[in-house]
């Protein structure tokens, strides 16, 4: 078709199966299909395929929809799924691959995305993107693999978008130019829990531009860096057992002006150092273990400090078998750091 493959406007519809391909615009486009209680009016299920469309695979505008049971959006010139302008999307067990933009893109005020157990792979930008929403959402149990930028990207540049996003149980692997999970903007309290971020180009989890994130029980392994707090006014709180192991450079990197609080993190065999803290950054941690579980010979320092860190606790032992210091206090003095060991 020269226009959309299927248009749904101000009505209800169940789309069961079907192939929507090679259309001049979207594969499926839904407009103003929304109830007051946001129950889905458009349901797309059972291996419906939207592919090779000139714009989006599926577009929602002012609509509430549920996608499930193997819906596939593949090789579209835009996004696999675009959730736009006050739309509500529940997306579960679907496939978004090889799209020119992103797998799932949710933007504009009052848009809600709940994405569970989807495969978002090999799109040219990001696997899942949420931009400037003013409503809570959940991203749970998705696989975001080998996308051009990040696996999951949460962006906000608007002060009113101070909402709580929950990012749980996702597997973000081998994303090519950025991070496994990237929180970028004015976010009040993003909960990042039990995610695995492996082999991503710049890092496992990054928080930037004034975001505040709570990290609990995540594993960041084999990335360039494990966890990054990138900018002034960005804050990371660590709980549970976050693991930063086997990253090429640093396990935890708090860049200039960022801050880190909490006690839930451990390290092993990172290439440069386990903890790197930039100038004017702050870290207040009770149980950080910069040498925990490190085995064999290594030449890099456990921590590289150019800022200020309080109460850095290590309950492990050093490779030679001698007792490790239980508390290490780093205090910045001029352009240098003073290190005191408490055994």
């Amino acid at each position: 078709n020269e226009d959309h493959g299927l248009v749904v406007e101000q009505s209800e519809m169940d789309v069961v199966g079907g192939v929507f391909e090679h259309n001049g615009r979207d594969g499926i486009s839904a407009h103003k299909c929304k109830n007051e209680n946001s129950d889905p009016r458009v349901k797309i299920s059972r291996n419906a395929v939207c592919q090779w469309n000139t714009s989006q695979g599926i577009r929602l505008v002012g609509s509430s929809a549920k996608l499930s049971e193997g819906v596939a959006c593949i090789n579209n010139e835009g996004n696999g799924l675009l959730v736009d302008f006050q739309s509500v999307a529940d997306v579960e067990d679907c496939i978004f691959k090889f799209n020119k933009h992103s797998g799932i893109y949710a933007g504009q005020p009052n848009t809600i995305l709940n994405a569970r157990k989807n495969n978002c792979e090999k799109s040219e930008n990001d696997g899942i993107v949420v931009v400037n929403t003013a409503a809570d959402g959940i991203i749970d149990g998705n696989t975001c693999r080998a996308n051009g930028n990040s696996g999951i990207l949460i962006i906000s540049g608007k002060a009113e978008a101070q909402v709580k996003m929950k990012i749980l149980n996702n597997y973000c692997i081998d994303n090519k130019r950025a991070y496994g999970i990237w929180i970028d903007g004015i976010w009040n309290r993003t909960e990042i829990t039990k995610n695995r971020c492996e082999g991503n180009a710049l890092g496992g989890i990054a928080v930037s531009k004034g975001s505040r994130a709570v990290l609990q029980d995540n594993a960041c392994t084999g990335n360039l860096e494990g966890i990054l707090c990138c900018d002034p006014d960005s804050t990371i709180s660590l709980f549970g057992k976050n693991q930063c192991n086997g990253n090429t450079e640093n396990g935890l990197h708090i860049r200039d002006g960022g801050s880190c609080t909490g006690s839930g993190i451990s390290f092993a065999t990172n290439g440069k150092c386990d903890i790197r803290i930039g100038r004017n950054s702050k870290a207040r941690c009770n149980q950080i273990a910069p040498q925990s579980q490190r085995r064999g010979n290594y030449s890099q320092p456990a921590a590289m400090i150019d800022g200020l860190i309080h109460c850095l606790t290590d309950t492990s032992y050093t490779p030679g078998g001698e007792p490790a210091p239980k508390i290490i206090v780093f205090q910045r003095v001029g352009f240098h750091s003073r290190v005191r060991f408490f055994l």
Side-chain angles (χ1 to χ4, degrees):
N1 298 300
E2 293 183 0
D3 205 346
H4 307 291
L6 171 65
V7 177
V8 186
E9 188 164 356
Q10 296 184 346
S11 61
E12 296 186 6
M13 179 171 286
D14 286 357
V15 180
V16 181
V19 178
F20 306 85
E21 62 182 7
H22 297 292
N23 295 290
R25 296 181 67 183
D26 308 321
I28 299 174
S29 184
H31 294 258
K32 299 181 181 179
C33 304
K34 189 175 181 180
N35 294 320
E36 291 184 2
N37 61 5
S38 295
D39 287 343
R41 297 193 72 194
V42 178
K43 298 179 182 179
I44 308 172
S45 63
R46 296 190 184 179
N47 303 310
V49 177
C50 297
Q51 62 184 7
W52 303 109
N53 296 290
T54 303
S55 188
Q56 320 299 324
I58 298 172
R59 182 196 300 261
L60 306 177
V61 180
S63 299
S64 56
K66 182 176 179 61
L67 282 64
S68 62
E69 299 180 57
V71 171
C73 297
I74 302 171
N75 274 313
N76 297 286
E77 291 295 317
N79 303 286
L81 168 65
L82 175 62
V83 185
D84 202 5
F85 191 68
Q86 300 183 353
S87 292
V88 179
D90 289 320
V91 187
E92 184 171 356
D93 195 24
C94 298
I95 299 169
F96 304 90
K97 291 185 177 181
F98 305 113
N99 297 288
K100 293 293 184 182
H101 288 181
S102 297
I104 301 173
Y105 187 102
Q108 302 301 321
N110 299 317
T111 295
I112 301 175
L113 173 66
N114 296 316
R116 298 178 176 88
K117 300 179 182 178
N118 303 287
N119 286 328
C120 300
E121 302 185 17
K122 298 182 180 180
S123 291
E124 293 192 9
N125 288 342
D126 306 282
I128 299 173
V129 183
V130 178
V131 180
N132 288 342
T133 72
D136 298 349
I138 298 174
I139 301 174
D140 184 2
N142 304 280
T143 297
C144 298
R145 183 193 308 268
N147 296 288
N149 290 324
S150 292
I152 297 171
L153 172 61
I154 312 296
I155 304 175
S156 172
K158 298 181 179 180
E160 65 267 24
Q162 295 192 9
V163 298
K164 296 179 182 179
M165 293 291 299
K166 294 183 179 181
I167 303 175
L168 318 169
N169 305 306
N170 300 286
Y171 184 35
C172 298
I173 180 173
D174 293 339
N175 294 289
K176 295 180 180 180
R177 290 191 295 270
Y179 306 98
I181 299 171
W182 187 3
I183 312 300
D184 185 51
I186 306 170
W187 290 90
N188 184 32
R189 184 183 171 91
T190 304
E191 298 179 13
I192 306 175
T193 305
K194 294 183 179 179
N195 301 281
R196 292 171 55 199
C197 297
E198 300 177 3
N200 299 288
L202 295 184
I205 299 173
V207 177
S208 62
K209 293 183 181 177
S211 289
R212 286 163 173 77
V214 178
L215 276 62
Q216 182 169 343
D217 299 329
N218 300 284
C220 298
T221 61
N223 308 284
L224 181 67
E225 297 188 286
I227 296 173
L228 299 92
C229 189
C230 297
D231 301 297
D233 300 323
S234 295
T235 301
I236 290 176
S237 300
L238 301 167
F239 296 94
K241 297 180 180 179
N242 296 285
Q243 300 177 21
C244 294
N245 303 334
N247 297 289
T248 304
E249 293 190 358
N250 309 301
L252 171 64
H253 190 177
I254 307 173
R255 294 179 179 170
D256 293 354
S259 64
C260 174
T261 64
S263 60
I265 192 165
S266 65
F267 305 92
T269 60
N270 294 291
K272 286 190 174 180
C273 55
D274 290 330
I275 306 168
R276 183 168 183 173
I277 300 178
R279 294 183 182 182
N280 302 316
S281 297
K282 295 181 180 180
R284 296 181 179 273
C285 308
N286 295 325
Q287 294 177 349
I288 286 182
Q291 292 177 332
S292 65
Q293 303 179 28
R294 301 191 80 169
R295 301 291 183 263
N297 297 320
Y298 60 93
S299 59
Q300 298 295 338
M304 183 181 298
I305 308 298
D306 195 23
L308 178 65
I309 187 167
H310 297 276
C311 296
L312 190 72
T313 305
D314 182 4
T315 57
S316 70
Y317 55 86
T318 57
E322 61 273 18
K326 293 183 179 180
I327 300 177
I328 310 172
V329 179
F330 297 87
Q331 182 179 359
R332 183 183 171 87
V333 180
F335 290 101
H336 303 283
S337 294
R338 182 170 63 214
V339 182
R340 292 184 292 156
F341 294 89
F342 294 80
L343 300 179

